[in-house]
Amino acid sequence: MKLMNHLRNLNNGITIHHHILRNRFHPLFFNYPKFFSDSSLPQQPTTPHVQQPPPPSSLNRNELAKFAAIAETWWDSEGPFKPLHVMNPTRLAFVRSALCRHFKKDPYSAKPLEGLKIVDVGCGGGILSEPLARMGATVTGVDAVEKNINIARLHAESDPTTSTIEFCCTTAEKLVEEGRKFDAVMALEVIEHVAEPAEFCKSLAALTIPDGATIISTINRSMRAYATAIVAAEYILRWLPTGTHEWSKFLTPEELVLILQRAGINVEEMAGFAYNPVTGRWSLSDDISVNFIAMGTKANNTE
């Protein structure tokens, strides 16, 4: 498989076993001393006699402005967020499968996520939060754009099943300050829009209970991703507003794994999203060269 061959050939001796079979995802097992050099990520100052500044906020004001400008279109399935609407069933298939396996729940029950407290960080208009609530989870949706939260609340109120969702205009960092904890933390298509990915992941880890789950989806920083997610999607097909993504802000799967590990989250499952232009649908794949999703767990002794 391409994914196995790609990751097996990394210079630092990582061993990852990954297999997808009938929508079941077997864990990725990481056994390595070092993913790549310490210089690959920003380092914190180590001067012993200088008080360290508080962690930088992960908010990117330019990115917030982009999404505020199109907030009213979140539930327009033919609008700027059409790609997310089309991809959403596939994202949910991974989330349901991974969480049910980790928390030992029946994925085929009417409410497979019942009993789980989940936070949807960067929830936008609530297109992920709502189906999570319908699957039985107690959902909190947070977004730094107030327009997004207003749209999410308004739409969720139309259905008794989703009217119980707690939508808040806030950030992951502020939830950490409030001492909030969740069984599962979602950040789908968010990390490529934040200013400090490493600090953002630390906040996600802090929100996750010990042995809880953290799920992140994003876009690989590959030439294929540049060609498809930016050139094709934004400039040729016009699926997304021009400037929605910046290729330099994408993370490779290896970088995401390392950032999460440093935050106390061990990645156990990973899958790619494959788009079929004939059917117009997405499916789960072992090809992580463009869009991919990862699920990690927080160690019991990590706080």
Side-chain angles (χ1 to χ4, degrees), residues 119-192:
V119 63
D120 180 11
V121 178
C123 65
I127 65 174
L128 177 70
S129 297
E130 288 196 12
L132 291 175
R134 292 190 182 98
M135 285 192 278
T138 300
V139 180
T140 298
V142 301
D143 199 286
V145 177
E146 188 172 5
K147 287 183 178 180
N148 289 344
I149 291 299
N150 292 338
I151 293 294
R153 285 176 180 155
L154 183 64
H155 194 274
E157 287 172 358
S158 64
D159 184 342
T161 307
T162 58
S163 62
T164 59
I165 300 173
E166 176 191 8
F167 284 112
C168 307
C169 183
T170 188
T171 64
E173 290 88 348
K174 290 181 180 178
L175 289 183
V176 173
E177 292 176 4
E178 295 169 7
R180 301 288 296 271
K181 295 286 184 180
F182 301 88
D183 300 302
V185 176
M186 308 282 119
L188 306 192
E189 278 68 58
V190 175
I191 197 169
E192 64 269 26

Side-chain angles (χ1 to χ4, degrees), residues 82-83 85-90 239 274-283:
K82 178 179 179 178
H85 284 275
V86 177
M87 184 186 284
N88 214 33
T90 308
W239 286 348
Y275 180 72
N276 186 327
V278 177
T279 63
R281 295 181 179 180
W282 293 85
S283 61

Side-chain angles (χ1 to χ4, degrees), residues 72-93:
E72 291 81 2
T73 66
W74 267 105
W75 288 97
D76 179 2
S77 61
E78 295 298 322
F81 296 106
K82 178 179 179 178
L84 285 184
H85 284 275
V86 177
M87 184 186 284
N88 214 33
T90 308
R91 302 193 305 176
L92 287 163

Side-chain angles (χ1 to χ4, degrees), residues 167-246:
F167 284 112
C168 307
C169 183
T170 188
T171 64
E173 290 88 348
K174 290 181 180 178
L175 289 183
V176 173
E177 292 176 4
E178 295 169 7
R180 301 288 296 271
K181 295 286 184 180
F182 301 88
D183 300 302
V185 176
M186 308 282 119
L188 306 192
E189 278 68 58
V190 175
I191 197 169
E192 64 269 26
H193 300 290
V194 305
E196 298 285 346
E199 294 300 327
F200 181 66
C201 286
K202 287 179 183 177
S203 295
L204 299 184
L207 293 173
T208 309
I209 65 169
D211 200 37
T214 303
I215 297 181
I216 295 177
S217 65
T218 188
I219 304 173
N220 193 347
R221 195 177 68 256
S222 65
M223 291 309 300
R224 184 178 174 192
Y226 181 81
T228 58
I230 295 181
V231 176
E234 296 184 19
Y235 291 89
I236 299 176
L237 300 174
R238 300 291 181 178
W239 286 348
L240 297 168
T242 303
T244 298
H245 293 116
E246 294 182 39

